[in-house]
Amino acid sequence: MVKICCIGAGYVGGPTMSVIALKCPSIEVAVVDISISRINAWNSDQLPIYEPGLDAVVKECRGRNLFFSTDVEKHVQEADIVFVSVNTPTKTRGLGAGKAADLTYWESAARMIADVSKSDKIVVEKSTVPVKTAEAIEKILTHNSKGIKYQILSNPEFLAEGTAIQDLFNPDRVLIGGRETPEGQKAVQALKNVYAHWVPEERILTTNLWSAELSKLAANAFLAQRISSVNAMSALCEATGADVTQVSYAVGKDSRIGPKFLNASVGFGGSCFQKDILNLVYICECNGLPEVAEYWKQVIKINDYQKSRFVNRVVSSMFNTVSNKKIAVLGFAFKKDTGDTRETPAIDVCKGLLGDKAKLSIYDPQVTEDQIQRDLTMNKFDWDHPLHLQPMSPTTVKQVSVVWDAYEAVKGAHGLCILTEWDEFKTLDYARIYDNMQKPAFVFDGRNIVEVEKLREIGFIVYSIGKPLDAWLKGMPSVA
């Protein structure tokens, strides 16, 4: 029986290994992590992450051929294939601070594999890593090998949160990069055989190691660039009276461009886009390509601009101050159908409003008060370090209350900001909301999900990203 072990029980490791266990009943899969609370959650009825369809997959396999354990060394020692899915946060100090990936957790995982292994292993990079990480890992393993042979593969994940299980069941492609040696190709084939249980052969792509590592960064950079492109257009639409929804629909009808990732919004978030682009920027700079680095930097600059532009719209619309005004925030996760708040635009928007002394009342169907408070008090890149290194009981931001109902959030509010596109926000009773708000009542739609004209008929002053401006907002400064 082939044995697989995955180091890291997070958003990538947990779902990926659960689906491998489901699709490959003849393979034993162990997911290991040093966080006892996280492993306990995976073994309970309340999984540590929310992802549609994940519960059913885990329940079907857990205890049969899927195991979650804190006994890291035992499972690594027994495994034929070891996936490494640990955090690769952005460095906060030292060489490359603010851009380069911090490979501390990766390196310690590699050293531990070398320490405990008694048989040959295939080691698979599953986390997003900078190009040439495989080389560093190879060096650590071979210099500590004690005669044991290791093959390093790169198998980046291309999951979208909120649809991760569907993405795993039916991937666009599975990418496996390996050394172009007989042993390397044999290792590639071994991993290919795992995926071939359910993924059609033509969708399993094989490349050299560096192409696989770079493909992941490139894919995320291209996606983020599309969002920044349409967001840049949204600012121009507001200035000229065009409607960004109509513009992006017309552009997306071009078959060379296509309609996906062309929705204007308050900005992109998630654990990958910003981190991977910063990483790409750093690699370009290290390889003497400053012009290329500058090009990708601009994608992040536009994203930051979009968030600050949104905050400025809110403040300038409300008589240039939100001091002591109650602002309701609907949605805190970075997108719908996930409880993930990593790099969510909501953090920067909320911090911007708090900087102007607003009182926030926040509702999100999947994000806990503890998480929201932690996010609002955490330093920029701290979210990507393992939980046990983060502040455990966050100091509460006094101006923030977290409620469990949208109508509660808006009671007595001067303004309402929609920051996540949860379906339930489309069907709220906005007439009821209007009656319970201070007048004039403002709606700032950061996701373009409300019917602007209907809301204006009710009496709201509406700002919707990239849409023709309400007469009220014309002449108000959009950028401080």
Side-chain angles (χ1 to χ4, degrees), residues 111-372:
R111 289 183 184 281
M112 185 270 298
I113 292 169
D115 279 349
V116 305
S117 294
K118 293 186 165 56
S119 56
D120 295 354
K121 305 236 180 290
I122 297 170
V123 178
V124 184
E125 294 177 338
K126 199 67 189 159
S127 357
T128 305
V129 290
V131 185
K132 299 285 185 182
T133 300
E135 201 161 58
I137 304 307
E138 262 180 352
K139 283 177 180 155
I140 291 168
L141 291 171
T142 49
H143 282 277
N144 295 280
S145 71
K146 307 176 215 138
I148 288 163
K149 291 190 169 55
Y150 298 98
Q151 286 302 321
I152 315 294
L153 300 179
S154 171
N155 174 218
E157 53 81 21
F158 296 102
L159 305 178
E161 286 184 47
T163 57
I165 299 300
Q166 263 335 101
D167 295 343
L168 285 161
F169 281 174
N170 187 24
D172 287 344
R173 78 296 205 192
V174 169
L175 183 57
I176 303 172
R179 285 280 190 199
E180 287 156 321
T181 60
E183 300 79 24
Q185 290 308 297
K186 196 174 156 199
V188 166
Q189 192 56 49
L191 186 55
K192 206 172 165 182
N193 292 343
V194 172
Y195 285 110
H197 280 79
W198 78 97
V199 181
E201 174 110 22
E202 65 275 10
R203 287 202 209 163
I204 304 176
L205 316 182
T206 57
T207 65
N208 71 28
L209 267 173
W210 324 131
S211 298
E213 288 180 335
L214 188 55
S215 295
K216 169 64 178 174
L217 296 183
N220 278 343
F222 275 53
L223 290 171
Q225 177 203 45
R226 282 176 74 99
I227 297 172
S228 280
S229 296
V230 78
N231 282 343
M233 285 297 159
S234 75
L236 187 57
C237 287
E238 286 169 33
T240 57
D243 183 329
V244 74
T245 313
Q246 295 173 356
V247 172
S248 63
Y249 181 75
V251 169
K253 279 293 181 194
D254 186 322
S255 59
R256 295 165 301 177
I257 297 171
K260 291 185 176 171
F261 272 69
L262 286 183
N263 293 326
S265 70
V266 66
F268 59 72
S271 62
C272 290
F273 284 178
Q274 175 159 310
K275 186 172 85 169
D276 288 359
I277 294 171
L278 289 170
N279 209 328
L280 199 56
V281 166
Y282 182 67
I283 294 165
C284 291
E285 288 173 348
C286 290
N287 283 286
L289 302 169
E291 291 82 0
V292 182
E294 206 47 52
Y295 175 79
W296 289 112
K297 249 188 230 172
Q298 201 59 38
V299 172
I300 290 176
K301 278 188 188 158
I302 288 287
N303 198 48
D304 290 339
Y305 164 71
Q306 190 75 344
K307 291 180 282 191
S308 62
R309 207 167 71 77
F310 187 85
V311 172
N312 292 336
R313 275 282 186 218
V314 175
V315 177
S316 67
S317 308
M318 298 171 76
F319 314 105
N320 240 351
T321 177
V322 289
S323 181
N324 280 323
K325 290 178 182 169
K326 177 177 174 181
I327 309 282
V329 173
L330 296 189
F332 198 84
F334 85 93
K335 68 174 183 181
K336 72 171 187 175
D337 293 337
T338 175
D340 195 354
T341 60
R342 294 177 294 178
E343 293 286 1
T344 174
I347 294 173
D348 287 338
V349 170
C350 289
K351 282 184 173 176
L353 295 171
L354 290 168
D356 207 316
K357 303 279 192 293
K359 288 185 156 55
L360 303 184
S361 182
I362 302 174
Y363 164 66
D364 187 288
Q366 284 296 332
V367 185
T368 63
E369 175 166 12
D370 198 45
Q371 186 62 50
I372 288 171

Side-chain angles (χ1 to χ4, degrees), residues 46-47 75 81 96 151 214 221 226 264 283-284 288 293 320 340 379 394 397 405 411 414 424 446 455 461 471:
Q46 194 62 52
L47 300 184
H75 289 287
I81 302 175
Q151 286 302 321
L214 188 55
R226 282 176 74 99
I283 294 165
C284 291
N320 240 351
D340 195 354
N379 291 330
V397 181
D405 169 55
K411 215 174 271 177
H414 292 258
E424 66 181 80
L455 263 60
I461 293 160

